[in-house]
Short mmCIF file of all heavy atoms in Angstrom, two decimals:
data_model
loop_
_atom_site.label_atom_id
_atom_site.label_comp_id
_atom_site.label_asym_id
_atom_site.label_seq_id
_atom_site.Cartn_x
_atom_site.Cartn_y
_atom_site.Cartn_z
N THR D 22 191.41 295.58 106.20
CA THR D 22 192.06 295.48 107.51
C THR D 22 193.36 296.26 107.54
O THR D 22 193.68 296.92 108.53
CB THR D 22 192.31 294.00 107.88
OG1 THR D 22 193.02 293.38 106.82
CG2 THR D 22 191.03 293.27 108.15
N SER D 23 194.12 296.23 106.45
CA SER D 23 195.37 296.98 106.37
C SER D 23 195.09 298.48 106.35
O SER D 23 195.80 299.25 106.98
CB SER D 23 196.16 296.61 105.12
OG SER D 23 196.58 295.28 105.19
N VAL D 24 194.06 298.87 105.62
CA VAL D 24 193.71 300.29 105.54
C VAL D 24 193.36 300.80 106.94
O VAL D 24 193.81 301.86 107.35
CB VAL D 24 192.54 300.53 104.55
CG1 VAL D 24 192.05 301.97 104.63
CG2 VAL D 24 192.97 300.20 103.13
N ARG D 25 192.58 300.01 107.67
CA ARG D 25 192.21 300.40 109.04
C ARG D 25 193.47 300.61 109.89
O ARG D 25 193.60 301.63 110.57
CB ARG D 25 191.33 299.31 109.66
CG ARG D 25 190.92 299.58 111.09
CD ARG D 25 190.21 298.41 111.70
NE ARG D 25 189.20 297.88 110.80
CZ ARG D 25 187.94 297.69 111.11
NH1 ARG D 25 187.52 297.94 112.31
NH2 ARG D 25 187.09 297.22 110.23
N GLU D 26 194.39 299.65 109.86
CA GLU D 26 195.62 299.74 110.65
C GLU D 26 196.48 300.94 110.23
O GLU D 26 197.02 301.65 111.07
CB GLU D 26 196.42 298.45 110.52
CG GLU D 26 195.76 297.26 111.17
CD GLU D 26 196.41 295.94 110.80
OE1 GLU D 26 197.50 295.94 110.19
OE2 GLU D 26 195.81 294.90 111.12
N ILE D 27 196.59 301.16 108.93
CA ILE D 27 197.39 302.28 108.42
C ILE D 27 196.81 303.60 108.90
O ILE D 27 197.53 304.47 109.40
CB ILE D 27 197.48 302.24 106.87
CG1 ILE D 27 198.32 301.05 106.41
CG2 ILE D 27 198.05 303.55 106.33
CD1 ILE D 27 198.23 300.78 104.91
N LEU D 28 195.49 303.75 108.75
CA LEU D 28 194.85 305.01 109.13
C LEU D 28 194.96 305.29 110.62
O LEU D 28 195.25 306.42 111.03
CB LEU D 28 193.38 305.01 108.70
CG LEU D 28 193.15 305.00 107.18
CD1 LEU D 28 191.68 304.79 106.87
CD2 LEU D 28 193.67 306.27 106.53
N ILE D 29 194.77 304.26 111.44
CA ILE D 29 194.91 304.43 112.89
C ILE D 29 196.37 304.75 113.22
O ILE D 29 196.65 305.63 114.03
CB ILE D 29 194.41 303.19 113.66
CG1 ILE D 29 192.89 303.10 113.51
CG2 ILE D 29 194.82 303.24 115.12
CD1 ILE D 29 192.27 301.82 114.05
N GLY D 30 197.29 304.08 112.54
CA GLY D 30 198.72 304.34 112.74
C GLY D 30 199.13 305.75 112.34
O GLY D 30 200.08 306.30 112.88
N GLU D 31 198.40 306.33 111.38
CA GLU D 31 198.69 307.69 110.94
C GLU D 31 198.05 308.74 111.85
O GLU D 31 198.18 309.93 111.61
CB GLU D 31 198.22 307.90 109.50
CG GLU D 31 199.07 307.13 108.50
CD GLU D 31 198.59 307.29 107.06
OE1 GLU D 31 197.51 307.89 106.82
OE2 GLU D 31 199.30 306.80 106.17
N GLY D 32 197.32 308.27 112.87
CA GLY D 32 196.79 309.19 113.87
C GLY D 32 195.35 309.65 113.66
O GLY D 32 194.88 310.53 114.38
N TYR D 33 194.65 309.08 112.70
CA TYR D 33 193.24 309.43 112.53
C TYR D 33 192.45 308.85 113.71
O TYR D 33 192.82 307.79 114.24
CB TYR D 33 192.68 308.90 111.21
CG TYR D 33 193.23 309.63 110.00
CD1 TYR D 33 194.23 309.08 109.22
CD2 TYR D 33 192.73 310.89 109.64
CE1 TYR D 33 194.74 309.74 108.12
CE2 TYR D 33 193.23 311.56 108.54
CZ TYR D 33 194.23 310.98 107.78
OH TYR D 33 194.73 311.65 106.69
N PRO D 34 191.37 309.51 114.14
CA PRO D 34 190.59 309.03 115.29
C PRO D 34 190.04 307.62 115.04
O PRO D 34 189.42 307.36 114.01
CB PRO D 34 189.45 310.04 115.42
CG PRO D 34 189.90 311.24 114.66
CD PRO D 34 190.84 310.75 113.60
N GLN D 35 190.28 306.73 116.00
CA GLN D 35 189.92 305.32 115.83
C GLN D 35 188.42 305.15 115.60
O GLN D 35 188.02 304.34 114.76
CB GLN D 35 190.35 304.52 117.06
CG GLN D 35 190.09 303.03 116.88
CD GLN D 35 190.76 302.20 117.94
OE1 GLN D 35 191.54 302.70 118.74
NE2 GLN D 35 190.45 300.93 117.96
N ASP D 36 187.57 305.90 116.30
CA ASP D 36 186.13 305.73 116.13
C ASP D 36 185.70 306.09 114.71
O ASP D 36 184.87 305.41 114.12
CB ASP D 36 185.34 306.53 117.17
CG ASP D 36 185.68 308.01 117.18
OD1 ASP D 36 186.77 308.40 116.69
OD2 ASP D 36 184.85 308.80 117.67
N GLN D 37 186.30 307.13 114.13
CA GLN D 37 185.97 307.51 112.76
C GLN D 37 186.49 306.47 111.77
O GLN D 37 185.80 306.12 110.81
CB GLN D 37 186.57 308.88 112.42
CG GLN D 37 185.88 310.04 113.11
CD GLN D 37 186.42 311.38 112.63
OE1 GLN D 37 186.92 311.50 111.51
NE2 GLN D 37 186.30 312.39 113.48
N VAL D 38 187.70 305.97 112.00
CA VAL D 38 188.28 304.96 111.11
C VAL D 38 187.42 303.71 111.11
O VAL D 38 187.08 303.17 110.06
CB VAL D 38 189.74 304.63 111.52
CG1 VAL D 38 190.25 303.43 110.73
CG2 VAL D 38 190.65 305.83 111.32
N VAL D 39 187.05 303.25 112.30
CA VAL D 39 186.24 302.03 112.41
C VAL D 39 184.90 302.22 111.72
O VAL D 39 184.46 301.36 110.95
CB VAL D 39 186.06 301.63 113.90
CG1 VAL D 39 185.01 300.54 114.05
CG2 VAL D 39 187.39 301.19 114.49
N GLU D 40 184.26 303.35 111.95
CA GLU D 40 182.96 303.61 111.31
C GLU D 40 183.09 303.65 109.79
O GLU D 40 182.28 303.05 109.07
CB GLU D 40 182.37 304.93 111.82
CG GLU D 40 180.99 305.20 111.26
CD GLU D 40 180.37 306.49 111.80
OE1 GLU D 40 180.87 307.02 112.80
OE2 GLU D 40 179.38 306.94 111.22
N LEU D 41 184.13 304.31 109.29
CA LEU D 41 184.34 304.41 107.85
C LEU D 41 184.63 303.03 107.24
O LEU D 41 184.08 302.68 106.19
CB LEU D 41 185.49 305.37 107.54
CG LEU D 41 185.85 305.55 106.07
CD1 LEU D 41 184.66 306.11 105.27
CD2 LEU D 41 187.06 306.45 105.92
#
Side-chain angles (χ1 to χ4, degrees):
T22 53
S23 295
V24 172
R25 178 188 314 233
E26 292 168 10
I27 291 168
L28 294 171
I29 291 172
E31 290 178 353
Y33 290 101
Q35 185 168 351
D36 56 339
Q37 289 186 26
V38 171
V39 169
E40 183 178 346
L41 178 61

